[in-house]
Amino acid sequence: MTARRRKVYFDGGCRPNPGKMEAAVVTAGTVHILTDLGLGTNCDAEWVALILAVDVALDSGADDFVLLGDSAIVVAQALRVAKCRGANMQRHFDAFAAKVGDREWPRIRKIARSQNLAGIALAKTHER
C-alpha cells in the first residue's frame, strides 16, 4: 500500500492591509496559527504562511506533500511562473527556496478560498 500525498493548506492575512500579519497552516487535522508576525501586506502574510507550511510539512516527516493556498500571485511566484516584483517578494521567495534546499521543488496548487482549510481556520479567529 502506498502512502497518500499529504495536503498542507496555508493562508495568511493582515488587518488592516497593510497591518499586523497572521498565518495559518492546516494538515492532517492539525491547525497551526501564528499571530503578531509583524507588519506587512496580505501578500507578505501569504508568503509567510507558505514558508510556515513547508516547515510544518517537513517537521511532520512527510516525504510527499502538496502545498495548497488561495493566493494566485504567491502560488505563481513560488512555482516560478511569475516574477517576484519588488525586493520584499524576492526576499520571501529566497527564504522559501532556502527552506526547500536541495529537495525536489514541492508541489504547490492554487485552490479556491472556500476550499482553503487554513483560511477557514484563520477566519474563525476573528469576530464577525
Side-chain angles (χ1 to χ4, degrees):
M1 184 167 142
T2 60
R4 294 182 68 194
R5 179 171 298 141
R6 181 178 295 247
K7 293 178 180 178
V8 183
Y9 298 86
F10 68 93
D11 195 31
C14 59
R15 290 171 188 239
N17 184 23
K20 287 179 139 182
M21 294 187 298
E22 58 190 6
V25 174
V26 175
T27 187
T30 303
V31 178
H32 306 265
I33 295 179
L34 280 85
T35 58
D36 295 326
L37 296 172
L39 298 176
T41 66
N42 280 336
C43 199
D44 292 317
E46 291 282 357
W47 267 110
V48 169
L50 175 57
I51 293 165
L52 175 63
V54 172
D55 284 337
V56 168
L58 296 175
D59 289 349
S60 76
D63 291 324
D64 189 12
F65 57 90
V66 57
L67 303 168
L68 304 166
D70 57 36
S71 172
I73 189 62
V74 171
V75 169
Q77 288 171 345
L79 288 171
R80 302 174 287 196
V81 297
K83 289 186 179 187
C84 293
R85 305 265 185 225
N88 262 2
M89 297 306 104
Q90 188 61 52
R91 275 194 297 276
H92 293 309
F93 177 85
D94 293 343
F96 174 72
K99 290 278 180 192
V100 172
D102 293 333
R103 294 174 196 84
E104 182 179 333
W105 204 256
R107 292 173 181 85
I108 310 165
R109 281 195 4 235
K110 197 247 181 241
I111 58 173
R113 173 86 172 135
S114 61
Q115 296 175 310
N116 191 343
L117 299 181
I120 294 166
L122 204 55
K124 287 181 179 180
T125 67
H126 298 284
E127 290 184 24
R128 301 249 173 206

